[in-house]
Amino acid sequence: MSDLAVMTEARCLELLTAGAVGRVALSTQDGPQIFPVNYTVADGSVVFRTTAYSVLGTHAWQSRLAFEIDGCDVDHRTGWSVVASGPGSQVRPGPELEEIVRSWNPDPWAGGTRPVYVRLRWDTLSGRRIGPA
């Protein structure tokens, strides 16, 4: 059996900042929904892009969100998971959006135009790992 341990917030931030793909979770009238997105970390927030009429485009910037990334090594039975949660908001055109685009614009892998930028400014950032440190 491997040890399960809570990671420090600093380690969670390190892993979150190094990633490029994660999952956004939110509640809708139809129940919980989870969507994979490309993202960046900017000013204490996860930022991702979506379409205006998608579930994320119509709900994510108006609700509380959860965002998760993880990694695992099946052969060694080790892994980790980081979860950020907090309110969603839309990033409007202006200096803030210009800085996000300039520093690291989240580049969606999915085709089509994704002009809506959504920010999850976390108030909770936590993580766990299983296996040796």
Side-chain angles (χ1 to χ4, degrees):
M1 289 256 174
S2 293
D3 293 331
L4 183 64
V6 174
M7 293 189 291
T8 66
E9 188 170 325
R11 179 64 176 144
C12 292
L13 183 57
E14 180 182 329
L15 291 166
L16 189 63
T17 303
V21 177
R23 289 165 297 284
V24 176
L26 69 154
S27 292
T28 69
Q29 287 179 282
D30 298 326
Q33 305 270 333
I34 300 172
F35 301 93
V37 296
N38 299 92
Y39 74 97
T40 188
V41 174
D43 189 30
S45 303
V46 171
V47 178
F48 59 92
R49 293 167 55 183
T50 190
T51 62
Y53 300 105
S54 66
V55 171
L56 289 176
T58 58
H59 296 285
W61 57 273
Q62 304 173 47
S63 62
R64 187 161 180 85
L65 306 173
F67 182 82
E68 194 239 0
I69 61 169
D70 54 35
C72 68
D73 181 333
V74 175
D75 293 334
H76 294 100
R77 299 176 69 155
T78 62
W80 55 268
S81 175
V82 172
V83 176
S85 62
S89 63
Q90 188 172 3
V91 182
R92 302 286 182 182
E96 181 181 30
L97 181 56
E98 291 169 11
E99 179 58 31
I100 289 168
V101 169
R102 188 174 31 258
S103 64
W104 195 88
N105 193 18
D107 185 20
W109 293 354
T113 304
R114 287 174 168 53
V116 177
Y117 286 73
V118 177
R119 169 189 303 278
L120 183 169
R121 187 172 300 278
W122 66 77
D123 49 32
T124 303
L125 181 62
S126 62
R128 292 179 173 213
R129 67 166 173 76
I130 189 162

